[in-house]
Amino acid sequence: MEQETKKIKRLKVGDWLLITFVFGLIFTCGLIIVSEITWDAIWNNVVSRDQTLTREIVESFFRAALLEETFKFLGFFIAYKLKKINHQAIAMYACAVIGLMYGIVENIFRFNPISFVVAFSIPMHVLWQLNSGRHFQAFIEAKEEGNKGKAFKEFFLALPFVFLFHGIWDAVLSVGIHFMEDPNYGYISPICFIFIFAIGIAYVIFTIIKTIKTTNKYRRDIREEDLENHQEK
């Protein structure tokens, strides 16, 4: 007996508004802001108030990457379960709008011209979440197929890889900003910024290609499903 094919979950405008503003803006951004304020208070009172390079690198991986990626994914995961998302394209865009909302909020509060230019040129929060959502749905599909090797790979790309990428990205950017006006090590800054833009542009191109392919597959799947529904009537 053949297994019944799952109908593709199609989200309406109201669903996207809910994901964007409730799970993205209120839930995710709220949790990140509270957690980062708490981090700063603990660090300043327990460790040191000095903004050293060591602190900046540690915070790149833990204050930024770990906290932000955890809460962005949590917001996406709740929306994913609530809306019963079951296609890579929908998972990809649902995760991306949450990343978009946080990217906007982060740059409003940061007031750093360099970070704003980099974020505007290469919107990493959107790019990370596009790939995270797509890989997470691929992970779910691989689990359902019983393909443990693929499931492990897709899970790694959906979560740990994004955390590592985010941490390295912020750390290199922090190092570049830190040495900008250093008379002895000023040359480190352009190296860091060249690295950031080279990796960023490559990631932009990669993500655009994957996004277009996934979107086109969604359109084909929708057409096929509509045709099957029409034939059954």
Side-chain angles (χ1 to χ4, degrees):
M1 184 175 179
E2 291 184 4
Q3 187 177 3
E4 185 180 354
T5 304
K6 289 183 180 180
K7 297 295 184 183
I8 298 172
K9 177 66 176 181
R10 309 187 191 193
L11 301 188
K12 299 178 181 179
V13 173
D15 298 322
W16 288 110
L17 291 175
L18 179 72
I19 293 170
T20 302
F21 293 104
V22 175
F23 295 112
L25 180 61
I26 299 173
F27 180 83
T28 298
C29 294
L31 285 176
I32 292 173
I33 290 170
V34 170
S35 66
E36 292 188 344
I37 290 174
T38 303
W39 171 288
D40 289 340
I42 293 172
W43 187 288
N44 290 337
N45 289 284
V46 176
V47 184
S48 172
R49 290 183 177 274
D50 296 334
Q51 194 67 33
T52 63
L53 182 58
T54 300
R55 174 176 176 173
E56 290 175 4
I57 293 175
V58 169
E59 290 186 336
S60 293
F61 284 93
F62 296 99
R63 182 185 183 274
L66 183 60
L67 293 178
E68 290 173 13
E69 295 307 326
T70 296
F71 291 126
K72 281 188 292 181
F73 181 79
L74 182 59
F76 159 70
F77 184 74
I78 295 172
Y80 178 90
K81 287 293 187 181
L82 181 67
K83 294 302 174 181
K84 296 180 172 61
I85 295 171
N86 61 355
H87 195 284
Q88 288 186 28
I90 302 300
M92 177 177 70
Y93 286 118
C95 201
V97 295
I98 289 175
L100 173 64
M101 293 312 296
Y102 179 66
I104 292 171
V105 170
E106 180 184 48
N107 281 284
I108 288 174
F109 283 96
R110 181 170 283 179
F111 298 113
N112 188 312
I114 295 175
S115 296
F116 179 81
V117 170
V118 173
F120 182 79
S121 306
I122 309 172
M124 294 304 292
H125 284 293
V126 176
L127 301 175
W128 284 321
Q129 266 50 65
L130 280 169
N131 289 297
S132 180
R134 178 171 54 81
H135 283 299
F136 180 75
Q137 179 59 38
F139 158 70
I140 295 296
E141 293 167 2
K143 273 186 66 179
E144 292 173 349
E145 295 166 1
N147 190 335
K148 293 182 180 180
K150 183 179 179 183
F152 177 82
K153 183 193 76 171
E154 296 295 344
F155 180 81
F156 175 78
L157 292 172
L159 291 173
F161 176 78
V162 174
F163 158 70
L164 291 171
F165 195 159
H166 189 164
I168 292 169
W169 178 271
D170 279 19
V172 174
L173 188 59
S174 294
V175 170
I177 294 172
H178 182 85
F179 286 109
M180 276 186 66
E181 298 180 1
D182 192 299
N184 298 316
Y185 300 100
Y187 64 88
I188 293 178
S189 289
I191 293 174
C192 290
F193 295 141
I194 290 170
F195 173 82
I196 284 289
F197 276 101
I199 296 298
I201 293 301
Y203 195 62
V204 167
I205 295 170
F206 168 82
T207 304
I208 288 174
I209 292 171
K210 286 292 185 180
T211 300
I212 291 172
K213 286 183 177 180
T214 306
T215 303
N216 288 340
K217 184 178 186 305
Y218 173 75
R219 289 172 177 166
R220 290 194 302 270
D221 292 343
I222 287 292
R223 284 197 298 267
E224 290 175 6
E225 187 174 275
D226 288 343
L227 181 60
E228 288 175 5
N229 292 337
H230 180 73
Q231 290 172 346
E232 289 173 1
K233 291 180 181 179

PDB file of all heavy atoms in Angstrom, residues 56-72:
ATOM      1  N   GLU A  56      35.293  40.957  23.315  1.00  0.00           N
ATOM      2  CA  GLU A  56      34.584  41.079  22.043  1.00  0.00           C
ATOM      3  C   GLU A  56      34.523  39.742  21.307  1.00  0.00           C
ATOM      4  O   GLU A  56      33.493  39.388  20.718  1.00  0.00           O
ATOM      5  CB  GLU A  56      35.253  42.145  21.171  1.00  0.00           C
ATOM      6  CG  GLU A  56      35.063  43.563  21.701  1.00  0.00           C
ATOM      7  CD  GLU A  56      35.831  44.598  20.890  1.00  0.00           C
ATOM      8  OE1 GLU A  56      36.445  44.211  19.884  1.00  0.00           O
ATOM      9  OE2 GLU A  56      35.798  45.775  21.267  1.00  0.00           O
ATOM     10  N   ILE A  57      35.608  38.993  21.341  1.00  0.00           N
ATOM     11  CA  ILE A  57      35.631  37.699  20.659  1.00  0.00           C
ATOM     12  C   ILE A  57      34.745  36.688  21.379  1.00  0.00           C
ATOM     13  O   ILE A  57      33.983  35.947  20.744  1.00  0.00           O
ATOM     14  CB  ILE A  57      37.077  37.171  20.536  1.00  0.00           C
ATOM     15  CG1 ILE A  57      37.876  38.080  19.593  1.00  0.00           C
ATOM     16  CG2 ILE A  57      37.098  35.729  20.037  1.00  0.00           C
ATOM     17  CD1 ILE A  57      39.336  37.739  19.496  1.00  0.00           C
ATOM     18  N   VAL A  58      34.831  36.660  22.718  1.00  0.00           N
ATOM     19  CA  VAL A  58      33.966  35.765  23.496  1.00  0.00           C
ATOM     20  C   VAL A  58      32.501  36.092  23.226  1.00  0.00           C
ATOM     21  O   VAL A  58      31.670  35.205  23.002  1.00  0.00           O
ATOM     22  CB  VAL A  58      34.276  35.879  25.003  1.00  0.00           C
ATOM     23  CG1 VAL A  58      33.213  35.155  25.827  1.00  0.00           C
ATOM     24  CG2 VAL A  58      35.653  35.298  25.309  1.00  0.00           C
ATOM     25  N   GLU A  59      32.180  37.380  23.219  1.00  0.00           N
ATOM     26  CA  GLU A  59      30.795  37.790  23.003  1.00  0.00           C
ATOM     27  C   GLU A  59      30.342  37.527  21.573  1.00  0.00           C
ATOM     28  O   GLU A  59      29.143  37.324  21.331  1.00  0.00           O
ATOM     29  CB  GLU A  59      30.631  39.266  23.354  1.00  0.00           C
ATOM     30  CG  GLU A  59      30.734  39.520  24.855  1.00  0.00           C
ATOM     31  CD  GLU A  59      30.423  40.950  25.240  1.00  0.00           C
ATOM     32  OE1 GLU A  59      30.571  41.852  24.388  1.00  0.00           O
ATOM     33  OE2 GLU A  59      30.033  41.162  26.400  1.00  0.00           O
ATOM     34  N   SER A  60      31.271  37.501  20.632  1.00  0.00           N
ATOM     35  CA  SER A  60      30.904  37.199  19.247  1.00  0.00           C
ATOM     36  C   SER A  60      30.289  35.814  19.142  1.00  0.00           C
ATOM     37  O   SER A  60      29.322  35.596  18.395  1.00  0.00           O
ATOM     38  CB  SER A  60      32.142  37.281  18.342  1.00  0.00           C
ATOM     39  OG  SER A  60      32.619  38.602  18.263  1.00  0.00           O
ATOM     40  N   PHE A  61      30.844  34.864  19.913  1.00  0.00           N
ATOM     41  CA  PHE A  61      30.357  33.490  19.843  1.00  0.00           C
ATOM     42  C   PHE A  61      29.206  33.209  20.805  1.00  0.00           C
ATOM     43  O   PHE A  61      28.310  32.425  20.470  1.00  0.00           O
ATOM     44  CB  PHE A  61      31.505  32.517  20.121  1.00  0.00           C
ATOM     45  CG  PHE A  61      32.447  32.357  18.962  1.00  0.00           C
ATOM     46  CD1 PHE A  61      33.585  33.141  18.864  1.00  0.00           C
ATOM     47  CD2 PHE A  61      32.185  31.432  17.967  1.00  0.00           C
ATOM     48  CE1 PHE A  61      34.448  33.002  17.786  1.00  0.00           C
ATOM     49  CE2 PHE A  61      33.042  31.284  16.889  1.00  0.00           C
ATOM     50  CZ  PHE A  61      34.178  32.073  16.797  1.00  0.00           C
ATOM     51  N   PHE A  62      29.206  33.838  21.967  1.00  0.00           N
ATOM     52  CA  PHE A  62      28.225  33.473  22.980  1.00  0.00           C
ATOM     53  C   PHE A  62      27.122  34.511  23.165  1.00  0.00           C
ATOM     54  O   PHE A  62      25.940  34.163  23.170  1.00  0.00           O
ATOM     55  CB  PHE A  62      28.937  33.173  24.302  1.00  0.00           C
ATOM     56  CG  PHE A  62      29.834  31.970  24.196  1.00  0.00           C
ATOM     57  CD1 PHE A  62      31.199  32.125  23.999  1.00  0.00           C
ATOM     58  CD2 PHE A  62      29.303  30.695  24.243  1.00  0.00           C
ATOM     59  CE1 PHE A  62      32.026  31.023  23.872  1.00  0.00           C
ATOM     60  CE2 PHE A  62      30.123  29.580  24.114  1.00  0.00           C
ATOM     61  CZ  PHE A  62      31.491  29.741  23.930  1.00  0.00           C
ATOM     62  N   ARG A  63      27.478  35.772  23.313  1.00  0.00           N
ATOM     63  CA  ARG A  63      26.437  36.799  23.466  1.00  0.00           C
ATOM     64  C   ARG A  63      25.677  36.970  22.157  1.00  0.00           C
ATOM     65  O   ARG A  63      24.454  37.097  22.152  1.00  0.00           O
ATOM     66  CB  ARG A  63      27.062  38.126  23.877  1.00  0.00           C
ATOM     67  CG  ARG A  63      26.049  39.253  24.106  1.00  0.00           C
ATOM     68  CD  ARG A  63      26.776  40.548  24.396  1.00  0.00           C
ATOM     69  NE  ARG A  63      25.872  41.645  24.700  1.00  0.00           N
ATOM     70  CZ  ARG A  63      25.300  42.429  23.790  1.00  0.00           C
ATOM     71  NH1 ARG A  63      25.517  42.207  22.498  1.00  0.00           N
ATOM     72  NH2 ARG A  63      24.494  43.421  24.157  1.00  0.00           N
ATOM     73  N   ALA A  64      26.414  36.992  21.054  1.00  0.00           N
ATOM     74  CA  ALA A  64      25.775  37.193  19.750  1.00  0.00           C
ATOM     75  C   ALA A  64      25.320  35.876  19.137  1.00  0.00           C
ATOM     76  O   ALA A  64      24.133  35.572  19.097  1.00  0.00           O
ATOM     77  CB  ALA A  64      26.730  37.925  18.813  1.00  0.00           C
ATOM     78  N   ALA A  65      26.275  35.072  18.679  1.00  0.00           N
ATOM     79  CA  ALA A  65      25.916  33.879  17.907  1.00  0.00           C
ATOM     80  C   ALA A  65      25.023  32.910  18.669  1.00  0.00           C
ATOM     81  O   ALA A  65      23.966  32.512  18.177  1.00  0.00           O
ATOM     82  CB  ALA A  65      27.188  33.173  17.433  1.00  0.00           C
ATOM     83  N   LEU A  66      25.416  32.524  19.881  1.00  0.00           N
ATOM     84  CA  LEU A  66      24.658  31.498  20.603  1.00  0.00           C
ATOM     85  C   LEU A  66      23.274  31.990  21.001  1.00  0.00           C
ATOM     86  O   LEU A  66      22.265  31.330  20.727  1.00  0.00           O
ATOM     87  CB  LEU A  66      25.429  31.047  21.841  1.00  0.00           C
ATOM     88  CG  LEU A  66      24.763  29.915  22.644  1.00  0.00           C
ATOM     89  CD1 LEU A  66      24.588  28.673  21.786  1.00  0.00           C
ATOM     90  CD2 LEU A  66      25.572  29.599  23.896  1.00  0.00           C
ATOM     91  N   LEU A  67      23.213  33.152  21.651  1.00  0.00           N
ATOM     92  CA  LEU A  67      21.920  33.657  22.110  1.00  0.00           C
ATOM     93  C   LEU A  67      21.016  34.004  20.932  1.00  0.00           C
ATOM     94  O   LEU A  67      19.837  33.620  20.900  1.00  0.00           O
ATOM     95  CB  LEU A  67      22.117  34.887  23.002  1.00  0.00           C
ATOM     96  CG  LEU A  67      22.807  34.644  24.348  1.00  0.00           C
ATOM     97  CD1 LEU A  67      22.978  35.963  25.094  1.00  0.00           C
ATOM     98  CD2 LEU A  67      22.025  33.650  25.200  1.00  0.00           C
ATOM     99  N   GLU A  68      21.552  34.716  19.961  1.00  0.00           N
ATOM    100  CA  GLU A  68      20.727  35.155  18.835  1.00  0.00           C
ATOM    101  C   GLU A  68      20.228  33.978  18.007  1.00  0.00           C
ATOM    102  O   GLU A  68      19.040  33.898  17.666  1.00  0.00           O
ATOM    103  CB  GLU A  68      21.510  36.137  17.960  1.00  0.00           C
ATOM    104  CG  GLU A  68      21.751  37.481  18.636  1.00  0.00           C
ATOM    105  CD  GLU A  68      22.658  38.393  17.835  1.00  0.00           C
ATOM    106  OE1 GLU A  68      22.909  38.086  16.641  1.00  0.00           O
ATOM    107  OE2 GLU A  68      23.121  39.406  18.388  1.00  0.00           O
ATOM    108  N   GLU A  69      21.134  33.052  17.660  1.00  0.00           N
ATOM    109  CA  GLU A  69      20.713  31.921  16.831  1.00  0.00           C
ATOM    110  C   GLU A  69      19.759  30.997  17.579  1.00  0.00           C
ATOM    111  O   GLU A  69      18.850  30.422  16.983  1.00  0.00           O
ATOM    112  CB  GLU A  69      21.930  31.138  16.332  1.00  0.00           C
ATOM    113  CG  GLU A  69      22.827  31.912  15.384  1.00  0.00           C
ATOM    114  CD  GLU A  69      22.087  32.514  14.206  1.00  0.00           C
ATOM    115  OE1 GLU A  69      21.105  31.886  13.727  1.00  0.00           O
ATOM    116  OE2 GLU A  69      22.449  33.613  13.763  1.00  0.00           O
ATOM    117  N   THR A  70      19.949  30.854  18.881  1.00  0.00           N
ATOM    118  CA  THR A  70      19.049  30.014  19.671  1.00  0.00           C
ATOM    119  C   THR A  70      17.635  30.576  19.662  1.00  0.00           C
ATOM    120  O   THR A  70      16.662  29.846  19.401  1.00  0.00           O
ATOM    121  CB  THR A  70      19.545  29.902  21.128  1.00  0.00           C
ATOM    122  OG1 THR A  70      20.806  29.234  21.145  1.00  0.00           O
ATOM    123  CG2 THR A  70      18.550  29.104  21.975  1.00  0.00           C
ATOM    124  N   PHE A  71      17.495  31.874  19.915  1.00  0.00           N
ATOM    125  CA  PHE A  71      16.157  32.453  19.999  1.00  0.00           C
ATOM    126  C   PHE A  71      15.525  32.659  18.624  1.00  0.00           C
ATOM    127  O   PHE A  71      14.300  32.563  18.485  1.00  0.00           O
ATOM    128  CB  PHE A  71      16.199  33.759  20.797  1.00  0.00           C
ATOM    129  CG  PHE A  71      16.481  33.543  22.256  1.00  0.00           C
ATOM    130  CD1 PHE A  71      17.524  34.204  22.898  1.00  0.00           C
ATOM    131  CD2 PHE A  71      15.717  32.661  22.996  1.00  0.00           C
ATOM    132  CE1 PHE A  71      17.787  33.991  24.239  1.00  0.00           C
ATOM    133  CE2 PHE A  71      15.966  32.440  24.345  1.00  0.00           C
ATOM    134  CZ  PHE A  71      17.003  33.106  24.968  1.00  0.00           C
ATOM    135  N   LYS A  72      16.343  32.935  17.611  1.00  0.00           N
ATOM    136  CA  LYS A  72      15.783  33.015  16.258  1.00  0.00           C
ATOM    137  C   LYS A  72      15.230  31.661  15.835  1.00  0.00           C
ATOM    138  O   LYS A  72      14.137  31.564  15.270  1.00  0.00           O
ATOM    139  CB  LYS A  72      16.848  33.497  15.258  1.00  0.00           C
ATOM    140  CG  LYS A  72      17.093  34.996  15.279  1.00  0.00           C
ATOM    141  CD  LYS A  72      17.994  35.438  14.144  1.00  0.00           C
ATOM    142  CE  LYS A  72      19.401  34.937  14.304  1.00  0.00           C
ATOM    143  NZ  LYS A  72      20.293  35.381  13.205  1.00  0.00           N
TER     144      LYS A  72
END
